[in-house]
Amino acid sequence: KTYKIKFNKKMGGGTFDTGKQTITVGTKFTTDIKIETFLHEVIETILCEKNVRYSLDYDVAENGHYLFCFNHRQFEEIIKDIALALK
């Protein structure tokens, strides 16, 4: 899938929407944080598309409580997708 990258001057983090196929990166912070946020959202989007991100039932309210689970073959496919996304 192809995702549209959006930049938002009013936010500092990032989000993605698999339905709308968008990734939004906040530009409120330093260049290093913008790069980290961009990579974070791209990789997490790929992991969601591959169905290897799981919400932890006991703590779903927190954005940071996800479990990523995949085998080495899946990891190789994920790396190929990351490389393709960064072209």
Side-chain angles (χ1 to χ4, degrees):
K1 289 183 178 181
T2 301
Y3 278 71
K4 181 177 181 177
I5 306 296
K6 297 180 176 183
F7 297 96
N8 184 333
K9 295 177 185 177
K10 296 180 182 179
M11 64 185 271
T15 62
F16 64 93
D17 185 323
T18 55
K20 294 180 182 178
Q21 292 180 246
T22 58
I23 295 174
T24 304
V25 177
T27 59
K28 195 173 183 179
F29 298 123
T30 66
T31 299
D32 287 347
I33 292 177
K34 287 184 265 191
I35 292 168
E36 289 173 18
T37 301
F38 172 75
L39 290 172
H40 176 109
E41 297 305 327
V42 166
I43 293 168
E44 190 166 4
T45 300
I46 290 168
L47 295 174
C48 283
E49 290 283 349
K50 298 249 180 231
N51 295 312
V52 297
R53 184 185 85 155
Y54 304 92
S55 295
L56 299 175
D57 290 339
Y58 58 85
D59 204 0
V60 214
E62 284 293 321
N63 189 30
H65 291 104
Y66 293 104
L67 174 67
F68 299 92
C69 184
F70 44 89
N71 62 35
H72 196 265
R73 182 187 51 76
Q74 290 170 306
F75 178 69
E76 289 174 344
E77 292 172 8
I78 290 163
I79 295 301
K80 287 178 185 177
D81 286 347
I82 293 168
L84 183 62
L86 297 178
K87 277 190 172 182

